């Protein structure tokens, strides 16, 4: 028998079998993965005590968020984690909803535009892109609950007449914010065959995302339905049982050939390997870390959700944007907050020397589409 993740000893692999927890326990009520606090301290300039508090508050925000959204109803206008307050902030469009939201333990903010309105605005831009009516200098767009606008990311220095006409059209659907700071065209983070701890599909190297019962999830651009997959040692590992790209960027591999799965994300020596205990969705503003076979372990912040990304191969929808760096071969790898799975690496721009941005496909969408069950500790 061979272990899918070679840095985990078989005894640990056999011990870490469980089912998804309904509600994550507070970080103080269970043992954190060893090395997680020092890694958080290094990534965000925090003391270990501050890092522990932040993880606890972020986890609480993830638990409160769906309840607060339900209480807000049609007045819901989005939510985010405020790092200065260590609190979840929920935007709403009326005072009655604000009072209901505050009863859940969140901070409320009354704004003039609902999440539904901003999502409809974003969907209109998606339709323009599908019709070929978006200039190539426009890299992405997403609803931003903090500003109550749809943010349109445009490459700097490329404000042509065509771009200006598109932005005027976008304003007809509602308020927008144009951002050019550091914007580049994103690319999928697949790579040719090189060394590391990968899986391979032909001459493409990608990274494992999260174990599910029967296999693992990863990025759709790494391989098509039925395609054979080979592990880090080049032995047969399984086949793509489902794959979608573009439009989406997700897939799952059904493992075989003597491989098995464990609910662990590799820390690559930066942190101890992290146990996966669930998949509560972390709000915008929450810290997040990424594990991949090229650049290994890096952390940052979730900056956006429900973003449309424009790759050369076509648009990808409902993505989450982050400040985390990545490089070729990291595709499909794990995005995790604390012990909660967030998604699989899709693509971005920049690198881990000079910095950049990376997007991930949210894990719960993948699980729902394929009817999968996350393998948890």
């Amino acid at each position: 028998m061979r272990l899918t993740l070679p840095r985990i000893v078989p005894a640990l692999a056999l011990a870490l079998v469980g089912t998804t927890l309904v509600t994550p326990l507070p970080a103080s009520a269970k043992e954190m993965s060893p090395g997680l606090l020092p890694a958080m301290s290094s990534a965000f300039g925090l003391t270990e005590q501050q890092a522990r508090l932040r993880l606890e508050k972020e986890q609480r925000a993830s638990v409160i968020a769906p309840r607060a959204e339900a209480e807000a109803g049609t007045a819901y206008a989005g939510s985010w984690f405020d790092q200065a307050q260590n609190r979840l902030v929920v935007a709403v469009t009326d005072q009655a909803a604000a009072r209901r939201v505050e009863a859940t333990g969140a901070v409320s903010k009354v704004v003039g535009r609902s999440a539904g309105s901003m999502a409809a605005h974003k969907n209109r831009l998606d339709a323009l892109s599908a019709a070929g009516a978006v200039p190539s200098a426009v890299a992405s767009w997403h609803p931003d609950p903090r500003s109550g606008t749809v943010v349109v990311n445009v490459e700097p220095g490329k404000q042509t007449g065509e771009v200006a006409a598109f932005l005027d059209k976008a304003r007809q659907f509602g308020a927008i914010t144009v951002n050019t700071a550091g914007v580049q065209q994103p690319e999928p983070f697949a790579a040719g065959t090189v060394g590391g701890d990968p899986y391979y599909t032909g001459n493409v190297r990608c990274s494992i995302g999260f174990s599910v019962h029967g296999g693992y999830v990863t990025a759709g651009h790494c391989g098509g339905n039925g395609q054979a997959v080979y592990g880090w040692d080049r032995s047969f590992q399984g086949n793509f049982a489902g794959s979608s790209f573009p439009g989406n960027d997700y897939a799952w591999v059904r493992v075989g050939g003597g491989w098995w799965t464990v609910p662990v994300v590799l820390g690559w020596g930066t942190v101890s390997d992290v146990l996966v205990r669930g998949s509560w969705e972390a709000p915008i503003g929450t810290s997040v870390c990424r594990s991949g076979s090229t650049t290994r372990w890096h952390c940052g912040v979730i900056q956006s959700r429900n973003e449309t990304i424009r790759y050369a191969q076509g648009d990808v929808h409902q993505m989450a944007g982050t400040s985390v760096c990545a490089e070729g071969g990291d595709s499909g790898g794990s995005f995790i907050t604390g012990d909660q799975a967030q998604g699989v690496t899709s693509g971005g721009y920049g690198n881990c020397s000079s910095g950049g941005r990376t997007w991930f496909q949210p894990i719960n969408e993948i699980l729902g589409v394929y009817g999968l069950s996350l393998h948890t500790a």
Side-chain angles (χ1 to χ4, degrees), residues 109-137:
K109 179 180 179 181
V110 178
V111 298
R113 197 173 181 198
S114 71
S117 171
M118 287 187 287
H121 187 172
K122 185 201 78 73
N123 291 342
R124 291 188 179 99
L125 300 187
D126 290 352
L128 288 179
S129 184
V134 178
S136 60

Side-chain angles (χ1 to χ4, degrees), residues 365-376:
E365 179 184 1
I366 307 172
L367 299 177
V369 166
Y370 294 120
L372 301 171
S373 178
L374 188 67
H375 193 169
T376 59

